[in-house]
Amino acid sequence: MRYGYWLPVFGGWLRNVEHEGMEASWAYVSRLARRSEELGYDLTLIAELLLNDIKGIHAPALDAWSTAAALAAVTERLEIMVAVRPTFHHPARLAKQAANIDQIAGGRLALNVVSSWWKDEARRYGTTFDEHDDRYARTSDWLTVLDGAWEQPSFSHEGSHYRVDELIVEPKPVRLAARRRPTIYAGGESEAAKQMIARQCDAYVVHGDPPERAQPKLADMRARRDALGLPPLTFGMAAYAIVRDTEAEAERELARITNVNEGSPGYHNYQDWIANTRLEQQVSLADYSVSNRGLRAGLVGTPEQVADRVRQLSEAGVDLLLLQCSPQLEEMERFAEQVMPLVDEPRRAAA
């Protein structure tokens, strides 16, 4: 299992707690990233929203791509996964920008390609908002341009949404033995999303789910990939972690963070998200309290209970956990010190 975490670019993850002790600032996220490398974390995911989805639209939110470039310069080992939405970035310019950041990072950049869901944000920023399946047609065309720009000395393309003529991107991203390009992560539960990801991406990321729900989803994507004759996908899952000395303490914290109501700052964003996504199962307001159904992964309990759950998710096919917690730094330290060493303990004992 690899361990990643969401960079708290919104100043926290709880829609019902105004101040979580992790401000949306460069000072905080840069300190967190450097400390995470010391703790043994493998990756950080930088979400891209121009408005604050968690604390309300008037609250500060860090820009994903300028933050990624800065982190590339002050970290040494951490994989930097940056969310990117095709409607906000022309693929030719993004190919150039991402290749340059990858050079700064020494080959540590990755992309999380997201098909936009927030209609109000698109309106406020004056950009296109595609209906659901149209988003994936755009994303597919976008990825064709991106890949061509990175692979070929000069690339021309005329597709459904984008046209480039003799496009040149130099320098290219760093080439490594383990990857031919920056890893392309993407998620989605609709048929259009699954087809596009199986064909054009490198990794599939899912909302939080228990192992018994995750396993068939990942098996389906593995079969789709095999049918195309392409290298295996890797699989990541969003998960919110609550680790406490006793189960009762963990349950009290769970109750505290899930009392989102209609007056919470993120409630209207929740309604927009539900209206503009196609999920395989109904999402409750409690689920949305921490985003991406993170609580359904079940990382709530004592260190032993959470480590056991991590092992179950690994057995279901999950390769990467994308953790949220609050406050982020302190809880990531707790998870690294109390949970990570226990995960491999049965394997070491058996050996």
Side-chain angles (χ1 to χ4, degrees):
M1 182 68 76
R2 298 176 70 222
Y3 298 98
Y5 62 94
W6 297 65
L7 199 73
V9 294
F10 307 122
W13 304 114
L14 305 178
R15 289 181 166 84
N16 63 313
V17 177
E18 185 175 359
H19 301 293
E20 298 182 56
M22 45 176 172
E23 63 181 9
S25 71
W26 167 245
Y28 184 85
V29 298
S30 60
R31 181 163 65 98
L32 176 67
R34 290 192 293 264
R35 177 62 175 143
S36 74
E37 289 191 314
E38 297 171 351
L39 292 168
Y41 286 89
D42 301 289
L43 176 151
T44 188
L45 167 55
I46 309 176
E48 184 191 49
L49 288 174
L50 302 177
L51 298 174
N52 195 317
D53 172 46
I54 305 294
K55 302 301 183 183
I57 63 173
H58 296 288
L62 299 183
D63 172 70
W65 281 86
S66 54
T67 299
L71 283 183
V74 300
T75 55
E76 297 179 354
R77 188 184 58 79
L78 200 64
E79 183 178 350
I80 301 169
M81 186 205 302
V82 196
V84 56
R85 295 171 298 168
T87 50
F88 286 88
H89 300 270
H90 191 281
R93 292 190 292 275
L94 193 281
K96 177 70 174 181
Q97 182 180 0
N100 199 61
I101 296 174
D102 193 55
Q103 288 285 338
I104 295 169
R108 293 183 289 120
L109 186 73
L111 272 60
N112 176 30
V113 180
V114 180
S115 295
S116 303
W117 58 265
W118 199 352
K119 195 170 187 176
D120 186 52
E121 179 201 35
R123 175 186 66 82
R124 291 173 185 272
Y125 274 82
T127 194
T128 302
F129 185 82
D130 295 328
E131 293 307 317
H132 187 274
D133 285 2
D134 291 339
R135 297 175 213 166
Y136 290 99
R138 176 185 295 276
T139 300
S140 179
D141 202 35
W142 190 93
L143 284 169
T144 298
V145 175
L146 187 78
D147 206 36
W150 285 346
E151 287 288 331
Q152 299 182 25
S154 176
F155 179 68
S156 297
H157 171 78
E158 186 164 354
S160 58
H161 292 78
Y162 300 103
R163 179 183 180 277
V164 294
D165 188 20
E166 297 182 348
L167 171 63
I168 297 171
V169 170
E170 293 291 347
K172 305 292 188 191
V174 176
R175 281 197 173 270
L176 300 170
R179 56 159 225 187
R180 69 176 182 88
R181 64 180 184 186
T183 302
I184 306 294
Y185 295 80
E189 298 185 354
S190 69
E191 182 60 26
K194 292 174 182 177
Q195 288 182 11
M196 185 273 295
I197 293 166
R199 187 174 62 253
Q200 292 181 273
C201 299
D202 307 305
Y204 183 53
V205 288
V206 297
H207 297 307
D209 260 329
E212 63 272 16
R213 287 196 67 98
Q215 193 278 330
K217 291 182 182 181
L218 306 188
D220 172 66
M221 290 300 293
R222 192 176 294 112
R224 290 171 185 259
R225 187 73 165 186
D226 288 346
L228 293 168
L230 295 172
L233 293 167
T234 58
F235 298 107
M237 177 182 285
Y240 190 93
I242 300 174
V243 181
R244 295 294 185 269
D245 292 337
T246 68
E247 188 173 352
E249 289 177 286
E251 290 297 327
R252 282 196 295 271
E253 174 66 3
L254 177 63
R256 182 183 76 88
I257 70 172
T258 54
N259 66 344
V260 177
N261 56 54
E262 293 188 14
S264 300
Y267 182 74
H268 294 296
N269 308 341
Y270 161 78
Q271 292 178 310
D272 207 354
W273 183 60
I274 292 296
N276 291 297
T277 53
R278 293 183 186 172
L279 302 175
E280 293 177 333
Q281 53 187 307
Q282 187 175 0
V283 178
S284 71
L285 195 54
D287 285 323
Y288 196 66
S289 64
V290 299
S291 89
N292 297 93
R293 295 202 309 252
L295 289 168
R296 291 196 186 187
L299 302 187
V300 177
T302 65
E304 293 78 10
Q305 288 172 321
V306 174
D308 185 56
R309 188 63 152 193
V310 172
R311 287 191 292 270
Q312 292 172 20
L313 290 169
S314 177
E315 291 167 2
V318 177
D319 305 303
L320 168 69
L321 287 175
L322 296 165
L323 298 174
Q324 294 176 353
C325 42
S326 178
Q328 192 93 9
L329 178 56
E330 293 84 348
E331 293 300 320
M332 280 175 53
E333 288 178 330
R334 190 200 303 262
F335 191 95
E337 293 163 3
Q338 297 184 11
V339 176
M340 288 186 194
L342 296 178
V343 172
D344 289 329
E345 205 169 64
R347 188 178 303 147
R348 288 196 299 268

